[in-house]
Amino acid sequence: MAKHTDSSKIAASARKARARNVRLIKAFSFFAVVCLAFVGGFFVRGEIPLLESLGMGGLPGDSQTSLRSDSSRDAYGSLGARVGEVEDILKNDSLDSYDLDTATSNVLEAFAKTTQDPYLRYYDANRYAALMKDSAGSYAGIGVLFSEYNGRAYAVDVFEGSAAQAADVRQGDFVVAIDGDRDHDWTTTEVAAALRRDEGEDAVITWRRAASLEDEGGEEFTTTLSCSSYTVKNVVTELSGSVGYIQLKQVTQNASSLVSSAISDLESQGALSFVLDIRDNPGGFLTQSVDVASLFVKSGTVVKIQTKEAEETTKNANGTIATDKPLVVLVNGNTAASAEVLAAALKDNQRATLVGSTTLGKGSVQVTRDLSFGGALRYTAAYYKSPLGHNIDQVGVVPDIAMGLSEGVDNQKALAIETAQSLVRE
């Protein structure tokens, strides 16, 4: 009996073991199938045609672009390609619509803000048409000479007896809005176009009085100014002892002929040395800046120009020297653009002693190009460098004799005349 009982227990244990093994095999098989399905899912996830043939379709949130190869991504290395892809999606799949002109303005203005060019501007067709409005003939003004700093126009000179002076507009005040339009930063070109008014017509201008040109803050105030005709001489001269003083306010189209006449006139009065005052001069025509420098420099480089196409090109003195007498040049923080080119040329050629304070540092050239779909783009196309290769943009031209301007007295001019007098040959 004992042996029979033992045999029964062993058989029961064997049956339990076989059942347990069967359960383990089933569990392992199920686990293996799940793993294969999981791995297979990764394999076919990016294969949209395969998924569709299996009746599964695309998985939520998946797209072909999420698994784009490196070579495909290279095709989207431009803003145009990326915007184009979004535009195609909206065109083909979106239920919404958009205004093309508004979208263009918003995209290009946002694009401009991401660049390092503070002078980059997109002008839509209407704004560009206003800029290109015929400027021939006589227009009244508000009695302000404007300059530009980082793409924003500011008052560099307020004329005596003008409507602007009566309204307490001061040198350094930035233009914020004209006739209520404050949707963009105002450049000097835009201000000039907007203020082409008839005699007696009013202009409503909002200004910002900043502590310095770099200051982004400052109190705003609004003026209503009646436009009038102002006659302001671009070249002012005087004889102080044996020193001929010449103030050049802008580098206009006739600047070199005006300065040449001033030199001849002062020499006929007995001038033995000269002071050329280009403080608060916002610049103007580069060709005229070269021509004015050539009145004092016999030969050599006047300016170097860096562009996209050429690392450097040069403009040289043209051989029309008017005098070889000693020269002192007055500069300050509002001496800008081609006026800085003039100062740098005279300094680097050791033709003049510079007196005053470091110039503005606006050594760049802006170009406005028509766009095929309407409007235009204004951008920086070149940089000025001094004859010795020194940068002007964001640096300025440093005077040989530094002196700030005292309140109530033009001590800079007095020092320049004194220095010019000391340079007179015995």
Side-chain angles (χ1 to χ4, degrees):
M1 287 295 292
K3 289 182 178 180
H4 177 74
T5 302
D6 291 341
S7 297
S8 298
K9 290 181 178 180
I10 291 172
S13 296
R15 286 194 299 271
K16 290 180 179 179
R18 284 195 298 272
R20 184 171 60 251
N21 289 339
V22 170
R23 289 194 300 270
L24 289 173
I25 290 171
K26 289 182 177 180
F28 180 79
S29 299
F30 180 78
F31 180 76
V33 171
V34 170
C35 289
L36 288 173
F38 187 75
V39 173
F42 274 106
F43 177 74
V44 301
R45 182 170 180 163
E47 301 296 323
I48 301 301
L50 177 59
L51 289 171
E52 290 177 343
S53 70
L54 296 175
M56 297 172 65
L59 297 177
D62 281 1
S63 69
Q64 289 173 295
T65 57
S66 65
L67 294 176
R68 190 180 293 121
S69 65
D70 289 341
S71 60
S72 299
R73 286 175 183 168
D74 290 343
Y76 290 84
S78 72
L79 179 64
R82 296 180 181 186
V83 172
E85 181 179 354
V86 173
E87 188 176 24
D88 287 343
I89 292 172
L90 295 179
K91 179 180 178 181
N92 296 326
D93 301 328
S94 175
L95 297 178
D96 201 358
S97 61
Y98 62 92
D99 180 80
L100 180 59
D101 290 337
T102 301
T104 300
S105 295
N106 290 342
V107 168
L108 294 183
E109 287 172 5
F111 179 34
K113 291 179 181 178
T114 66
T115 72
Q116 300 300 310
D117 184 356
Y119 299 97
L120 182 62
R121 294 287 186 278
Y122 164 67
Y123 300 125
D124 63 26
N126 291 332
R127 284 178 62 195
Y128 189 47
L131 287 179
M132 298 303 291
K133 186 169 58 176
D134 184 14
S135 60
S138 177
Y139 288 90
I142 61 170
V144 173
L145 176 62
F146 291 96
S147 187
E148 189 171 322
Y149 183 73
N150 283 345
R152 298 171 180 173
Y154 70 96
V156 71
D157 189 20
V158 181
F159 303 155
E160 289 286 337
S162 66
Q165 185 187 51
D168 195 32
V169 176
R170 303 176 190 174
Q171 184 184 69
D173 287 344
F174 282 91
V175 175
V176 175
I178 297 179
D179 293 334
D181 181 1
R182 57 188 303 146
D183 292 336
H184 58 89
D185 291 334
W186 286 84
T187 65
T188 53
T189 304
E190 291 173 290
V191 169
L195 295 181
R196 289 184 190 129
R197 311 278 173 114
D198 293 328
E199 184 86 18
E201 188 176 352
D202 286 343
V204 180
I205 306 175
T206 300
W207 310 82
R208 177 173 61 86
R209 180 155 296 162
S212 66
L213 295 182
E214 293 81 12
D215 182 17
E216 295 290 333
E219 182 180 354
E220 291 187 7
F221 64 100
T222 300
T223 60
T224 300
L225 305 177
S226 179
C227 296
S228 301
S229 296
Y230 296 96
T231 302
V232 180
K233 294 180 65 176
N234 193 37
V235 170
V236 176
T237 65
E238 67 178 73
L239 185 67
S240 180
S242 62
V243 177
Y245 171 85
I246 303 171
Q247 181 185 32
L248 177 63
K249 294 187 176 182
Q250 296 183 75
V251 186
T252 55
Q253 287 180 308
N254 62 345
S256 61
S257 63
L258 292 175
V259 173
S260 179
S261 297
I263 291 171
S264 298
D265 183 55
L266 289 168
E267 282 188 332
S268 68
Q269 297 179 49
L272 300 177
S273 61
F274 291 93
V275 169
L276 178 63
D277 188 350
I278 51 175
R279 292 175 297 174
D280 302 328
N281 187 317
F285 293 88
L286 176 64
T287 53
Q288 284 295 302
S289 178
V290 172
D291 289 347
V292 172
S294 299
L295 297 175
F296 302 97
V297 178
K298 292 181 180 180
S299 62
T301 299
V302 172
V303 62
K304 294 182 177 181
I305 305 172
Q306 177 185 341
T307 64
K308 190 83 170 180
E309 292 75 21
E311 181 62 25
E312 280 185 356
T313 58
T314 61
K315 290 188 177 293
N316 300 318
N318 58 29
T320 58
I321 187 168
T323 183
D324 61 357
K325 291 182 170 62
L327 176 66
V328 174
V329 176
L330 269 170
V331 293
N332 68 1
N334 289 319
T335 303
S338 62
E340 293 180 271
V341 168
L342 174 57
L346 296 173
K347 179 182 180 181
D348 277 11
N349 281 285
Q350 297 183 339
R351 182 60 185 89
T353 300
L354 268 60
V355 173
S357 52
T358 302
T359 64
L360 182 64
K362 201 279 181 183
S364 60
V365 184
Q366 280 68 52
V367 170
T368 301
R369 178 177 293 184
D370 292 359
L371 297 172
S372 59
F373 53 85
L377 188 70
R378 181 199 194 214
Y379 59 97
T380 298
Y383 289 104
Y384 297 138
K385 291 187 176 182
S386 76
L388 296 180
H390 301 306
N391 290 329
I392 295 176
D393 197 61
Q394 304 297 319
V395 177
V397 182
V398 180
D400 300 297
I401 303 174
M403 173 174 281
L405 184 64
S406 298
E407 188 173 352
V409 59
D410 193 347
N411 57 316
Q412 291 177 331
K413 179 180 176 181
L415 176 61
I417 291 174
E418 181 183 335
T419 302
Q421 185 68 58
S422 70
L423 294 174
V424 175
R425 298 184 183 93
E426 297 295 336

